[in-house]
Amino acid sequence: PLTARVMVNRLWQHLFGEGLVRTPDDFGITGADPTHPELLDHLAIRFVESGWSVKQTLRWMMLSRTYRLASTGNPG
């Protein structure tokens, strides 16, 4: 459902600084397309299957390899 996609996108934006859809306030026809539509759909499905648990979804995202790679410091 659209509601799940919007919520997952906002959670992703909160963690990574930018959402999978660059226009989080406009998922409609005039909004931007998702950068990774399959990932957005996958996360939305898992979100619904988890009983719409924000805590569980944040946990999945934070335990992901993507999050670990994004949060590593730049050795300088």
Side-chain angles (χ1 to χ4, degrees):
L2 181 60
T3 306
R5 288 178 175 180
V6 170
M7 186 61 186
V8 166
N9 188 61
R10 289 182 185 270
L11 294 173
W12 186 275
Q13 181 181 14
H14 176 72
L15 291 176
F16 291 95
E18 193 164 344
L20 294 168
V21 177
R22 305 284 189 227
T23 54
D25 295 328
D26 187 0
F27 261 66
I29 295 171
T30 59
D33 291 333
T35 56
H36 298 83
E38 296 86 10
L39 176 59
L40 183 62
D41 289 344
H42 172 74
L43 291 172
I45 289 167
R46 284 191 70 179
F47 180 56
V48 172
E49 288 176 349
S50 74
W52 299 78
S53 173
V54 171
K55 182 178 180 178
Q56 188 67 35
T57 303
L58 285 171
R59 181 175 294 145
W60 295 326
M61 288 180 185
M62 292 176 74
L63 292 176
S64 72
R65 183 170 184 269
T66 304
Y67 184 78
R68 288 192 310 266
L69 290 172
S71 62
T72 58
N74 188 4

